[in-house]
Amino acid sequence: EALRRTYGDAHPSVRTTRNNIAYTLHRRGRHAEAEAVYRALLAETEALLGPGHPALADPLSNLGKVLMDQGRFAEAEPFVRQAAAIRRRTGDERSFGRLAAEVNLGSLELALGNLAEAVALYRSALVRFESLAGDGSLPVARCRSLLGVALHRAGDPRAAERLLRAAVERLRG
């Protein structure tokens, strides 16, 4: 509220803070509240900056996650795909934002049963996360676990087990 009073609703710091509030609500399991904040933030940001603006990527992606966490995959799909498209168009191939959007898209593809697409997205992200964050990083461990789940569902249990063991080992360490 102090930021709003000082800068107004349109200021980037206010939008970022609102996104962070919604993210915190989401992590606390308050999905309906998080969804409402994300939807309002998206509408206001799009009205202010126009469709496809890079500032829409995070709230689009995060709204998609909230919906996916509730099992609302079809409803999440346009938000997740739009966030990934914006990141691909505006972000460096090795940026964490772009990689996160692609991992989120991989999770959507996995939930929708598009196993080949999920595996391809996770593999690509894993290689880039390894080069960006290092082999022992948490993003690499997370991506390995997601790829392992996708490979298991796609019928490659040996590769899945190797990746899942590596992810668990890192998370224990």
Side-chain angles (χ1 to χ4, degrees), residues 71-154:
R72 296 161 59 189
F73 303 109
E75 193 176 344
E77 186 172 7
F79 300 108
V80 172
R81 290 194 189 286
Q82 187 179 356
I86 290 170
R87 288 291 188 192
R88 286 178 179 147
R89 191 183 76 247
T90 63
D92 177 349
E93 182 175 286
R94 293 171 31 103
S95 75
F96 277 101
R98 180 169 171 177
L99 289 171
E102 290 181 12
V103 167
N104 200 30
L105 180 57
S107 297
L108 175 70
E109 296 290 11
L110 184 64
L112 294 175
N114 303 325
L115 301 178
E117 291 86 347
V119 167
L121 284 161
Y122 289 148
R123 276 193 174 133
S124 174
L126 178 59
V127 168
R128 290 180 285 152
F129 269 133
E130 286 171 335
S131 119
L132 186 62
D135 186 61
S137 69
L138 287 174
V140 167
R142 180 173 180 262
C143 202
R144 280 185 180 141
S145 69
L146 292 167
L147 177 56
V149 169
L151 287 169
H152 183 267
R153 289 190 189 164

